[in-house]
């Protein structure tokens, strides 16, 4: 892979995250990962998952039933904002191990599992389109294209996991996020919402730094 081909995925991911216009579209992928994190933790902690909605304004909601307080609920609310970054870190490990195609297939499988729980038309469209792109690249593209695309996905998750945390705090400062994950956690734990936002940021930035260091040898 040429030097340009190696750096192009990172540059493209940065453009999608940094550009306001492109971010309004590409952010839907981060929302999918965010809600998938809530859903997965809900299932793993024994809660009853009732459904997921993904909205055109890039918001989403995951509905589960169970105890309204306790460690399981705390972990479930915490999972949303950190899941894209943690997925990016896992993807970086697979990319550096030259497992681009298994990464793409794993993503397709996860999206297929999530699709079963989607409860609105826009959500179905978002997940199906994302899964279709992953499938087409993994099935028809050359090994070099698959590697470049896997690098792009990895960088996008790592970079895209950071921006929503800043957006969250911006909305909170304007009083427009009273039902956010951070504020839900504050009500449950009595730990200030800002502390939870800082924890989200620590995980997102930490994953970006660690993932970036893992990917550097690839270049």
């Amino acid at each position: 892979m040429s030097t340009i081909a190696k750096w192009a995925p990172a540059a493209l991911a940065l453009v999608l995250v940094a550009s306001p216009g492109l971010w309004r579209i590409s952010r839907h992928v981060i929302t999918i990962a965010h809600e998938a994190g809530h859903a997965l933790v809900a299932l793993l902690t024994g809660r009853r998952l009732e459904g997921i909605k993904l909205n055109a304004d890039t918001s989403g909601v995951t509905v589960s039933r169970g105890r309204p307080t306790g460690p399981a609920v705390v972990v479930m609310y915490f999972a949303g904002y950190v899941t894209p970054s943690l997925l990016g870190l896992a993807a970086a490990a697979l990319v550096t191990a030259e497992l681009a195609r298994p990464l793409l297939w794993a993503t397709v499988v996860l999206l297929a599992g999530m699709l079963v729980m989607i409860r609105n038309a826009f959500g179905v469209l978002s997940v199906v389109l994302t899964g279709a792109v992953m499938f087409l690249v993994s099935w028809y593209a050359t090994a070099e294209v698959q590697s470049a695309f896997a690098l792009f996905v990895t960088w996008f998750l790592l970079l895209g996991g950071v921006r929503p945390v800043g957006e969250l705090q911006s909305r909170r400062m304007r009083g427009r996020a009273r039902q956010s994950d951070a504020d839900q956690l504050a009500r449950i734990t009595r730990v200030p919402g800002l502390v939870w936002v800082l924890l989200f940021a620590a995980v997102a930035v930490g994953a970006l730094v660690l993932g970036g260091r893992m990917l550097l040898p690839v270049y």
Side-chain angles (χ1 to χ4, degrees), residues 151-209:
L151 272 173
F152 161 70
V153 170
T154 302
W155 279 115
F156 181 73
L157 289 171
L158 290 172
L159 293 167
V162 176
R163 180 165 178 173
V165 180
E167 293 175 338
L168 168 63
Q169 184 56 23
S170 178
R171 292 196 305 273
R172 292 184 72 251
M173 292 175 65
R174 299 195 302 269
R176 296 173 56 187
R178 299 186 185 280
Q179 298 302 316
S180 71
D181 294 347
D183 291 279
Q184 296 277 16
L185 285 165
R187 284 189 281 271
I188 294 170
T189 65
R190 299 187 183 277
V191 175
L194 178 59
V195 173
W196 291 107
V197 174
L198 291 175
L199 288 173
F200 295 157
V203 173
V205 174
L208 175 58
V209 171

Side-chain angles (χ1 to χ4, degrees), residues 52-56 115 118-128:
I52 303 169
K53 289 186 177 180
L54 305 171
N55 303 314
L115 184 61
I118 299 295
R119 296 293 182 263
N120 67 325
F122 185 84
V124 170
L125 178 63
S126 296
V127 173
V128 168

Side-chain angles (χ1 to χ4, degrees), residues 135-157:
F135 173 78
L136 289 173
V137 173
S138 66
W139 192 262
Y140 293 106
T142 63
E144 185 170 282
V145 171
Q146 289 176 7
S147 296
F149 185 74
L151 272 173
F152 161 70
V153 170
T154 302
W155 279 115
F156 181 73
L157 289 171

Side-chain angles (χ1 to χ4, degrees), residues 33-48:
H34 179 116
E35 298 305 329
H38 285 315
L40 180 59
V41 171
L43 290 173
L44 292 176
T45 56
R47 296 179 63 82
R48 180 182 175 184

